[in-house]
Amino acid sequence: MSVAEAVDHRIPAERAQTLVSPQAYADGTIHETYRWLRKHEPLGIAEVEGVDPFWVATRHADILEISRQNALFHNGDRSPTLTSQVADRKVREMMGGSPHLLRTLIHMDAPDHMKYRVLTQAWFLPQNIRSLEPRIREIARAAVAKMAASGGRCDFVREVALHYPLHVIMTILGVPEEDEPRMLKLTQEIFGAADPELGRNAAAAQAAQPEEAQFDFSVITDFMDYFRRFSEAKRANPTDDLGSLIANSQVDGRPISDFEALSYYIIVATAGHDTTSSSTAGALWALAENPQEFRKLKADPSLIPGLVDESIRWTTPVKTFMRTVTEDVEFAGRRLKKNDWLMLCYASGNRDEEVFEEPFAFKVDRKPNKHVAFGYGAHVCLGQHLAKMEMRILWEELIPRVKSVELAGEPAMSEAVFVNGPKRLPIRFEMA
Ligand code: HEM
């Protein structure tokens, strides 16, 4: 981008720093920056040491429009997630010039993106996943029974929110139950790389060197090793699960490569539970702090789908994705240049005063609720119907049984700029 452009719309240094600070997403201070940006610089440029400059979209309308224009705003030309210059250089060195360690849907653009998305898209449609409802309900009942057995006090994240969606997605993929703890740990190490409690390279994260923590690529290697064996087994003995479908898929008349199959598994295995866990825990946290909303639900269980939407808006587990501009263009009054990098701030769009009445209030009966937590356009979340169905079923099982719930200690959010959510939620509750 030209210097003139950068000066015109430069975001003040302190606010720009907040956008790349994992702690700001954990302690919530990011929202003050978002609020300021929406009002004063809704499409501004962040210049932060160690990271290439990037545009920052904070308004709901701009996030939708950018997400919709997939030819103008690419996913794959640069990293689709915020990456430091050091990490970017390392990846390119390792990957023969490519900025990506994996080749998943989020790294692709037309025409390949759709060719790979259709391999599983029908599988995730509401009419198909409806058949999974009885099995998912069983898993939800087991999760509720476990909570009931915990004696009126638990860490809801550890006891319920983490394991329920994990078990659902692993059952769907065909990953054996005994491997679930490993999948959970690897996912937390990817998304929580900068979190001192969750990241593998915790020492670097603790020393406030998120780049150091980020380029511990051994987590991806471990995922790859696991799924390489998994994929071989699903090719040799296909079963009726998503893992077999992916392993035996063809694109342009040829079997997809090992690298692409492994990448596919990794995105489903990571995106498929952590986000849903975060929204689930975010819901209970909000209900514990807003007893009037809990009472509304108890009185009228038909509000449960509203609870699901509101908790996804409220938590917005995927905080950011990046896009790359494909040609010089005038957009929202800014002159964007080919190859400029751009951050979509979903959590800001979901607190946009122009769209949501009292955006900082948690309302289970919010209507309409046009949140952007699942993104929009060609890359809109593949698992959105599954995520919503899982959450609805859990609340249908849990809400009628819980008589009261309150916080029993200090909850905590994970420290991450890309995907984050509650990592601790101590609660006290009464159950029927
Ligand atoms: C509350 C839960 C979830 C949230 C908030 C969420 C959010 C998102 C977001 C923001 C995107 C990017 C959309 C865009 O670029 O426009 C995305 C993509 C994706 N999500 Fe989800 N997600 C959730 C659950 C799931 C589940 C359960 C799965 C199960 C497989 C899943 C799989 C994916 C995949 C594969 C993509 C990439 C789609 C593409 O690039 O074409 N997600 N999700």
Side-chain angles (χ1 to χ4, degrees), residues 105 113 117 124 271-272 275 279 318 321 323 373-376 379 381 383:
L105 296 179
H113 171 252
R117 189 166 160 122
F124 282 103
T275 46
S279 310
V318 178
F321 257 120
R323 297 286 195 262
F374 289 123
Y376 193 64
H379 288 274
C381 178

Side-chain angles (χ1 to χ4, degrees), residues 101-152:
L101 277 177
L102 297 171
R103 190 157 193 265
T104 77
L105 296 179
I106 66 161
H107 301 96
M108 295 181 191
D109 293 289
D112 279 8
H113 171 252
M114 205 31 87
K115 291 182 190 172
Y116 285 82
R117 189 166 160 122
V118 293
L119 299 178
T120 59
Q121 188 164 255
W123 201 95
F124 282 103
L125 287 177
Q127 53 271 39
N128 187 55
I129 57 168
R130 206 167 292 140
S131 64
L132 301 173
E133 179 150 351
R135 177 79 189 100
I136 295 180
R137 196 170 291 281
E138 258 176 54
I139 300 174
R141 284 192 182 138
V144 172
K146 192 171 167 215
M147 183 174 160
S150 70

Side-chain angles (χ1 to χ4, degrees), residues 21-199:
S21 304
Q23 297 88 338
Y25 294 78
D27 64 21
T29 48
I30 190 68
H31 280 294
E32 173 42 35
T33 284
Y34 282 158
R35 207 197 299 244
W36 188 91
L37 288 172
R38 284 193 300 273
K39 189 160 178 201
H40 301 286
E41 199 59 89
L43 192 57
I45 290 163
E47 291 178 311
V48 184
E49 213 191 313
V51 181
D52 283 350
F54 56 94
W55 293 94
V56 183
T58 45
R59 279 193 186 156
H60 189 276
D62 290 340
I63 294 169
L64 282 187
E65 193 52 28
I66 292 163
S67 304
R68 198 177 66 76
Q69 295 206 38
N70 299 101
L72 185 55
F73 299 100
H74 268 185
N75 274 45
D77 295 2
R78 301 174 67 159
S79 173
T81 56
L82 186 78
T83 307
S84 68
Q85 288 163 336
V86 177
D88 184 59
R89 205 172 50 240
K90 285 220 163 199
V91 172
R92 287 176 195 267
E93 273 166 25
M94 278 170 64
M95 304 303 288
S98 162
H100 313 305
L101 277 177
L102 297 171
R103 190 157 193 265
T104 77
L105 296 179
I106 66 161
H107 301 96
M108 295 181 191
D109 293 289
D112 279 8
H113 171 252
M114 205 31 87
K115 291 182 190 172
Y116 285 82
R117 189 166 160 122
V118 293
L119 299 178
T120 59
Q121 188 164 255
W123 201 95
F124 282 103
L125 287 177
Q127 53 271 39
N128 187 55
I129 57 168
R130 206 167 292 140
S131 64
L132 301 173
E133 179 150 351
R135 177 79 189 100
I136 295 180
R137 196 170 291 281
E138 258 176 54
I139 300 174
R141 284 192 182 138
V144 172
K146 192 171 167 215
M147 183 174 160
S150 70
R153 226 184 152 103
C154 73
D155 176 349
F156 186 75
V157 172
R158 275 164 208 242
E159 291 297 322
V160 180
L162 283 181
H163 299 283
Y164 165 61
L166 177 75
H167 191 43
V168 172
I169 197 70
M170 293 305 155
T171 306
I172 286 171
L173 260 180
V175 169
E177 193 169 351
E178 64 267 22
D179 294 340
E180 285 178 16
R182 189 153 155 206
M183 293 288 113
L184 177 61
K185 185 152 194 303
L186 289 173
T187 306
Q188 290 182 320
E189 286 174 340
I190 285 196
F191 292 144
D195 186 289
E197 288 174 346
L198 303 177

Side-chain angles (χ1 to χ4, degrees), residues 100-316:
H100 313 305
L101 277 177
L102 297 171
R103 190 157 193 265
T104 77
L105 296 179
I106 66 161
H107 301 96
M108 295 181 191
D109 293 289
D112 279 8
H113 171 252
M114 205 31 87
K115 291 182 190 172
Y116 285 82
R117 189 166 160 122
V118 293
L119 299 178
T120 59
Q121 188 164 255
W123 201 95
F124 282 103
L125 287 177
Q127 53 271 39
N128 187 55
I129 57 168
R130 206 167 292 140
S131 64
L132 301 173
E133 179 150 351
R135 177 79 189 100
I136 295 180
R137 196 170 291 281
E138 258 176 54
I139 300 174
R141 284 192 182 138
V144 172
K146 192 171 167 215
M147 183 174 160
S150 70
R153 226 184 152 103
C154 73
D155 176 349
F156 186 75
V157 172
R158 275 164 208 242
E159 291 297 322
V160 180
L162 283 181
H163 299 283
Y164 165 61
L166 177 75
H167 191 43
V168 172
I169 197 70
M170 293 305 155
T171 306
I172 286 171
L173 260 180
V175 169
E177 193 169 351
E178 64 267 22
D179 294 340
E180 285 178 16
R182 189 153 155 206
M183 293 288 113
L184 177 61
K185 185 152 194 303
L186 289 173
T187 306
Q188 290 182 320
E189 286 174 340
I190 285 196
F191 292 144
D195 186 289
E197 288 174 346
L198 303 177
R200 178 173 292 190
N201 201 348
Q206 232 136 20
Q209 294 163 323
E211 298 90 352
E212 292 276 328
Q214 264 181 30
F215 49 68
D216 185 355
F217 299 136
S218 60
V219 183
I220 298 276
T221 314
D222 286 358
F223 251 130
M224 289 272 203
D225 287 345
Y226 178 86
F227 279 123
R228 195 167 290 115
R229 288 191 298 278
F230 176 81
S231 174
E232 279 161 14
K234 295 289 173 193
R235 281 189 179 139
N237 294 305
T239 40
D240 182 23
D241 51 41
L242 192 65
S244 301
L245 184 128
I246 293 170
N248 298 292
S249 287
Q250 298 210 338
V251 166
D252 292 338
R254 280 189 299 273
I256 65 170
S257 71
D258 275 350
F259 182 54
E260 287 159 348
L262 303 187
S263 297
Y264 223 123
Y265 290 139
I266 293 176
I267 191 159
V268 172
T270 52
H273 61 97
D274 194 86
T275 46
T276 314
S277 300
S278 291
S279 310
T280 304
L284 203 77
W285 183 344
L287 289 175
E289 288 191 328
N290 295 276
Q292 77 286 359
E293 298 303 299
F294 180 66
R295 280 194 295 274
K296 276 188 209 165
L297 276 174
K298 290 288 291 174
D300 181 3
S302 76
L303 291 173
I304 285 175
L307 164 69
V308 170
D309 276 327
E310 180 67 342
S311 54
I312 295 170
R313 179 190 78 88
W314 187 248
T315 322
T316 312

